[in-house]
Amino acid sequence: MINTRTKIIAAAVKCFRNNPSDTLEKVAEEAGVSRRTLHRYFENREDLIESCKNEMLVSCNKAMTLAYESDSDPIKKIRNMLFAAIEQGASYAFVKRIYERSNFSDLERKKEFESDDVKSNWLNLIKELQKAERINTELTIPWIFNLFGSIIETAIYAVESGDVAKNDSRNFAWTSFKGAIGLKE
Amino acid sequence: MINTRTKIIAAAVKCFRNNPSDTLEKVAEEAGVSRRTLHRYFENREDLIESCKNEMLVSCNKAMTLAYESDSDPIKKIRNMLFAAIEQGASYAFVKRIYERSNFSDLERKKEFESDDVKSNWLNLIKELQKAERINTELTIPWIFNLFGSIIETAIYAVESGDVAKNDSRNFAWTSFKGAIGLKE
DNA sequence: ATGAAATGTCACATATTTGAGACATATTTC
DNA sequence: GAAATATGTCTCAAATATGTGACATTTCAT
C-alpha cells in the first residue's frame, strides 16, 4: 500500500539524486501529486531532503544487515551485501550521492547513523580477507570501499538505462568486484 | 596564463558537476569573479553549460587520443587511456556526469561529437581482447564501458577527497580494472 | 603617466520558485 | 449515504535567482 508521503519521497530521491536543486514542482509532478500536497507533507525542501536521507538510509541498512546475516562465509557475506545494495537501486544510488563528497576517514569518524554497523561489519570482512591474503593486499581499504560503491552504482545505472538485464548486472558486478580486489574463490 | 573565461568555466564545471542547478552567484564566487563579470562572458546559464561541455570534451578527447596513440600494444593503449582520463580529473568527471543518463546504444548512435573516435578506438581494443580471449568474454561491452568510467571516477574522487594519493590512485585503478575484466597480462 | 580595457559595485526590473490560505473536489471511512 | 479526510486548483505575497545598465575602480599596455 503505497501512500502519498512514500510516493513523494521516492520521487524526490529520483529527482534529487541527479540535481539537488531540482524544483519542488518537478518533484511533485514526478510523484503524481500537486505541489500544494507536497507542501502539506514536507515543511520545506530541507525537510524533504532530510526525510529522503533518513528513509533511504534505513532501507539500505536493513537490507545490508539482512544480507550480512544471511551466511557465515565471509565471501558470501560480501557477495550478498553487494547484491542487496544493487537490489536497493535508487535508494542506494541516492545515499551514495549524498556521501560522495566525504572522504573515508570522515565517514569512519562520524558515528551519526546506523550504517556504521553495516560499514564496520563490511570493513572487518575485507580486513579479514586481506589478513588471510585472500585478496590483493596492495589496495587500501578506502580504495576498496569506494570501488565497492562504484560497482554497485554502475550496476544500478546499467539496469536503469537498459544496457544490462537485472540478473546480468548482479553477476557482472560480482565478477568485476571479485576480480578487481583479486579475490580467489 | 589563466584568464577569466577559463576560470569561470573551471568553477562552473566544479559546481555543476554535483548540482546542475547551482546558482550563478555560486559559480562566480567559486571563480573568484563577480556575477556581473560572469554575465559579460556568458550570455546565460545555458551558454555557460554548453561552453563547459564543449571545452571539457575537447580536453578529454585530446588527452585520450594522445594516450591511444602513445603505444602500439592494445593493453598499454587501454592503460594509458585510463591514466589519461584520471589525469583529466574534474573534466572527465564532469563529462561522465553529463552522459550518465544515456545508455550505451544511445551513445553509440549519436555521432554528435569527436569523442566517437576515442570511443570507437577504445571499443575496438576491448573487442579485440575479448576475441583473443585475453579478457572475460562473459562481460558485455556496455558493462565494461561503464565500469571503465566508474573506476576512473572512483580514482578521481579518491584523490580529491584525500583518501588516496595521486600515484596510488592510478595504480589502484589499473589493478582493479584489469582484475575486473579478467585481463591476463 | 596616460589611456584603454577589464572588472567590481550597485541598483533595479523581470523571472522563477517557494510557502500557504481559501475553497472546491475527490476519496475514504463508517 | 453522510461525514471526515485527503487532495487539487487558484491565488498571492515573499523569497530567490537572473540579466543588465550605469558608473567607479582596478589592471594592463604603451
Side-chain angles (χ1 to χ4, degrees), chain B residues 124-139:
Chain B
N124 290 333
L125 291 174
I126 295 292
K127 281 171 186 169
E128 197 179 317
L129 292 177
Q130 276 202 332
K131 204 170 187 179
E133 295 195 356
R134 294 190 62 186
I135 65 175
N136 188 332
T137 54
E138 284 174 19
L139 302 177

Side-chain angles (χ1 to χ4, degrees), chain B residues 23-24 35-36 39 44-45:
Chain B
T23 63
L24 297 181
R35 186 169 60 83
R36 188 66 192 84
H39 284 291
N44 51 40
R45 173 183 293 273

Side-chain angles (χ1 to χ4, degrees), chain A residues 91-135:
Chain A
S91 303
Y92 184 86
F94 178 79
V95 169
K96 186 174 182 297
R97 278 291 156 87
I98 293 175
Y99 294 105
E100 208 149 52
R101 299 290 111 227
S102 315
N103 76 27
F104 185 77
S105 5
D106 283 349
L107 286 177
E108 206 156 14
R109 204 178 300 123
K110 284 178 194 158
K111 307 282 186 181
E112 74 183 72
F113 47 84
E114 301 153 54
S115 75
D116 275 331
D117 282 349
V118 173
K119 194 155 59 95
S120 298
N121 291 335
W122 188 90
L123 287 177
N124 290 333
L125 290 175
I126 295 292
K127 281 170 185 168
E128 197 179 317
L129 292 178
Q130 278 203 328
K131 202 168 184 181
E133 296 193 359
R134 295 191 63 187
I135 64 174

Side-chain angles (χ1 to χ4, degrees), chain A residues 23-167:
Chain A
T23 62
L24 297 182
E25 186 72 51
K26 271 246 189 67
V27 173
E29 193 183 320
E30 179 66 45
V33 303
S34 68
R35 187 169 62 83
R36 188 67 191 83
T37 295
L38 185 150
H39 284 291
R40 288 193 178 105
Y41 282 86
F42 301 97
E43 201 178 320
N44 49 40
R45 173 183 294 275
E46 200 180 309
D47 179 29
L48 177 56
I49 288 177
E50 272 312 298
S51 298
C52 290
K53 228 157 111 177
N54 294 336
E55 296 223 349
M56 296 302 109
L57 271 171
V58 167
S59 166
C60 287
N61 287 337
K62 196 160 146 197
M64 300 282 271
T65 300
L66 283 180
Y68 178 79
E69 290 165 354
S70 65
D71 209 292
S72 54
D73 174 46
I75 313 275
K76 291 276 172 55
K77 279 179 185 284
I78 293 174
R79 180 165 158 275
N80 291 339
M81 283 167 107
L82 183 82
F83 290 166
I86 293 170
E87 206 62 41
Q88 285 292 305
S91 303
Y92 184 86
F94 178 79
V95 169
K96 186 174 182 297
R97 278 291 156 87
I98 293 175
Y99 294 105
E100 208 149 52
R101 299 290 111 227
S102 315
N103 76 27
F104 185 77
S105 5
D106 283 349
L107 286 177
E108 206 156 14
R109 204 178 300 123
K110 284 178 194 158
K111 307 282 186 181
E112 74 183 72
F113 47 84
E114 301 153 54
S115 75
D116 275 331
D117 282 349
V118 173
K119 194 155 59 95
S120 298
N121 291 335
W122 188 90
L123 287 177
N124 290 333
L125 290 175
I126 295 292
K127 281 170 185 168
E128 197 179 317
L129 292 178
Q130 278 203 328
K131 202 168 184 181
E133 296 193 359
R134 295 191 63 187
I135 64 174
N136 189 330
T137 53
E138 286 172 19
L139 302 177
T140 62
I141 300 281
W143 172 261
I144 294 172
F145 179 73
N146 286 318
L147 185 64
F148 186 71
S150 288
I151 287 176
I152 291 163
E153 197 182 32
T154 302
I156 292 164
Y157 281 161
V159 173
E160 284 176 351
S161 70
D163 275 348
V164 180
K166 191 152 188 189
N167 284 337

Side-chain angles (χ1 to χ4, degrees), chain B residues 116-129:
Chain B
D116 276 330
D117 282 348
V118 173
K119 193 154 61 97
S120 299
N121 291 334
W122 187 92
L123 287 177
N124 290 333
L125 291 174
I126 295 292
K127 281 171 186 169
E128 197 179 317
L129 292 177

